[in-house]
Amino acid sequence: MYELDNDLKLRERAATAFPSGVYGHQASASVSPKHPQFFARGEGCRLWDTDGNEYIDFMCGYGTNLLGYRHAKVDEAAARQQAILDCATGPTPLMVELAEAFKSNVAHADWAMFAKNGTDATTICLMTARAQTKRNTIVLAEGAYHGASAWCTPGPAGVTTGDRANQVTYHYNDVDSLREAVEQAGDDLAGILVSPFKHDVFVDQEWPTEEFAQAARGLCDDKDAALILDDVRCAFRFTLGSTWETVGVLPDLCAMSKSVANGYALAVITGNDRFREGASEIYTTGSFWFAAVSFAASLATIEAVREEGAIEAIKVAGDALRKGLDEQARAHGFSLRQSGPPQMPLVLFDDDDTWEKNNFFVAAAVERGVYLHPWHNMFVCAAHSEADIAEALARTEGAFAATKEQ
């Protein structure tokens, strides 16, 4: 089994270097003692921690790894641009080129804007909707994650009642609940914020029903409000357009990030001409938002997705992982609930209200070199080859056996 000697020493240093150790969603303390906190290098779908232990990674940098760590085409494009210019007094022409690429690829997009993080993008979408409609209220799903700013962070510390003002919640995929929330917003409805699918933590994931997606679009049309798609987590894993193109519904505004530059920091906001004026009126900026290296990486990512058939490869790998885990679980007498699309799976055990089986199994898998997450949706990348999936399943076989014996 893996040892984490160097990792534990780094955690001790981190405990005083930061307020209370590594923070945010990458804090391994929130997962299990078996999960390493620090990594030294990556290649393809694999990571190595600071003790030299190797992992087949199914978190993929929490979604930032789309094509594989250290993808040659993307990294070479970034390096070429880094050698010339990155942050400067103004942007390079790559900013225009990338905006035009998103306009070409995203069905609803008449314009694009850029930032660095998913929270930047969702916040800009809300600001744009409010500026355009001259209204305040945003309708959003109960329990959905849209970032870590005060208006949306899941933690209550440091957040005021005013930070959460002008919000009404609904239950995802519940059309009646959505209609009630819109009715409660009344004449002040600026927009409806939706995730491509329900990917909340700790609960089964849900793909949107056609009725729900069409209702959200119809309500926004009826109320002259913005349909805002938070595509930060899903972008490029299903299509190079917005993910709801796969269900036949186009948003007015869309926030993308994570995988759009295969790990280089970039967020993208796309919108249609109805909201062009609102987007032009808001003031939002950042000194690093115009940096050219991420633009070069994103252009290379888009090319690679097409050339390498990445979207289909991710689906094939995800299907194989799902099938293999289900067969192993049944062979060991377990019943799994695998929800969400196979590209972004969540794996839970039936009859496990205390999470005892799930937590033990995930920790046992990590000890055997398969990096899984017990309660957050995972990610499959295009670098997960057939051989990688087979090797991962050979390792999880031991994790199921250990779970049965506990």
Side-chain angles (χ1 to χ4, degrees):
M1 297 302 170
Y2 286 179
E3 300 293 335
L4 297 176
D5 296 337
N6 292 334
D7 190 81
L8 291 173
K9 292 175 184 176
L10 282 165
R11 292 191 208 200
E12 290 177 2
R13 291 166 59 188
T16 55
F18 310 123
S20 60
V22 174
Y23 47 90
H25 64 296
Q26 292 198 358
S28 66
S30 66
V31 189
S32 86
K34 304 297 183 181
H35 284 72
Q37 179 62 83
F38 296 94
F39 293 97
R41 65 186 181 95
E43 183 79 32
C45 66
R46 297 173 189 249
L47 289 172
W48 286 262
D49 66 23
T50 55
D51 291 276
N53 302 311
E54 178 199 49
Y55 304 85
I56 301 173
D57 179 23
F58 288 103
M59 284 307 292
C60 294
Y62 281 80
T64 58
N65 174 16
L66 178 76
L67 301 168
Y69 295 114
R70 296 182 61 207
H71 186 273
K73 183 183 185 73
V74 177
D75 286 0
E76 287 167 7
R80 284 195 303 271
Q81 186 58 44
Q82 181 68 67
I84 303 168
L85 185 66
D86 187 20
C87 289
T89 308
T92 70
L94 289 179
M95 185 174 182
V96 178
E97 185 178 344
L98 185 59
E100 290 172 341
F102 274 92
K103 285 178 60 179
S104 296
N105 294 330
V106 180
H108 72 271
D110 295 312
W111 51 265
M113 296 172 67
F114 301 111
K116 282 299 176 191
N117 293 292
T119 305
D120 299 333
T122 54
T123 301
I124 290 170
C125 284
L126 266 61
M127 291 173 66
T128 299
R130 286 166 168 156
Q132 184 69 44
T133 62
K134 306 297 188 287
R135 305 172 198 155
N136 301 311
T137 301
I138 301 294
V139 167
L140 67 168
E142 183 75 29
Y145 182 83
H146 296 295
S149 187
W151 71 266
C152 56
T153 180
V159 177
T160 70
T161 303
D163 291 326
R164 299 300 174 90
N166 304 308
Q167 296 182 14
V168 180
T169 60
Y170 64 89
H171 298 293
Y172 198 92
N173 263 344
D174 185 333
V175 174
D176 289 339
S177 171
L178 178 61
R179 293 187 188 280
E180 289 171 5
V182 168
E183 183 177 350
Q184 185 177 340
D187 294 334
D188 195 45
L189 179 68
I192 297 175
L193 179 58
V194 295
S195 302
F197 69 95
K198 182 177 179 177
H199 45 54
D200 304 357
V201 294
F202 295 109
V203 298
D204 292 344
Q205 316 290 273
E206 295 179 28
W207 194 251
T209 64
E210 180 180 357
E211 181 187 15
F212 173 76
Q214 292 289 348
R217 178 68 273 175
L219 287 165
C220 287
D221 290 340
D222 291 345
K223 302 294 185 179
D224 198 26
L227 179 58
I228 306 166
L229 183 67
D230 177 356
D231 221 352
V232 168
R233 208 178 290 192
C234 301
F236 287 13
R237 275 192 156 75
F238 303 87
T239 172
L240 283 173
S242 64
T243 300
W244 264 19
E245 290 178 28
T246 64
V247 297
V249 172
L250 301 184
D252 299 299
L253 299 167
C254 182
M256 301 182 188
S257 191
K258 290 195 180 284
S259 59
V260 294
N262 201 53
Y264 289 84
L266 183 66
V268 185
I269 303 91
T270 54
N272 59 30
D273 277 334
R274 281 184 60 212
F275 289 85
R276 182 185 290 270
E277 183 178 352
S280 68
E281 289 177 348
I282 65 172
Y283 184 81
T284 183
T285 191
S287 296
F288 299 102
W289 290 10
F290 305 91
V293 169
S294 292
F295 297 152
S298 185
L299 286 164
T301 298
I302 292 168
E303 288 182 7
V305 167
R306 288 200 176 99
E307 293 169 358
E308 299 172 16
I311 292 171
E312 178 59 24
I314 292 169
K315 173 69 162 57
V316 169
D319 283 337
L321 178 67
R322 176 164 289 183
K323 180 174 182 290
L325 289 174
D326 185 63
E327 290 174 350
Q328 288 179 342
R330 285 189 283 109
H332 286 280
F334 297 117
S335 175
L336 294 183
R337 298 198 316 279
Q338 299 196 68
S339 62
Q343 299 93 324
M344 296 172 59
L346 181 68
V347 180
L348 302 175
F349 282 71
D350 284 323
D351 302 319
D352 189 30
D353 292 341
T354 64
W355 293 75
E356 182 179 2
K357 296 175 188 174
N358 193 68
N359 290 336
F360 186 94
F361 168 74
V362 168
V366 170
E367 280 191 300
R368 290 161 174 78
V370 182
Y371 197 99
L372 304 178
H373 201 292
W375 42 263
H376 189 293
N377 78 268
M378 294 177 283
F379 297 87
V380 178
C381 74
H384 281 114
S385 68
E386 182 178 354
D388 292 319
I389 297 298
E391 184 177 350
L393 290 170
R395 298 180 186 187
T396 56
E397 175 68 29
F400 277 115
T403 305
K404 187 174 183 177
E405 292 173 1
Q406 69 155 329

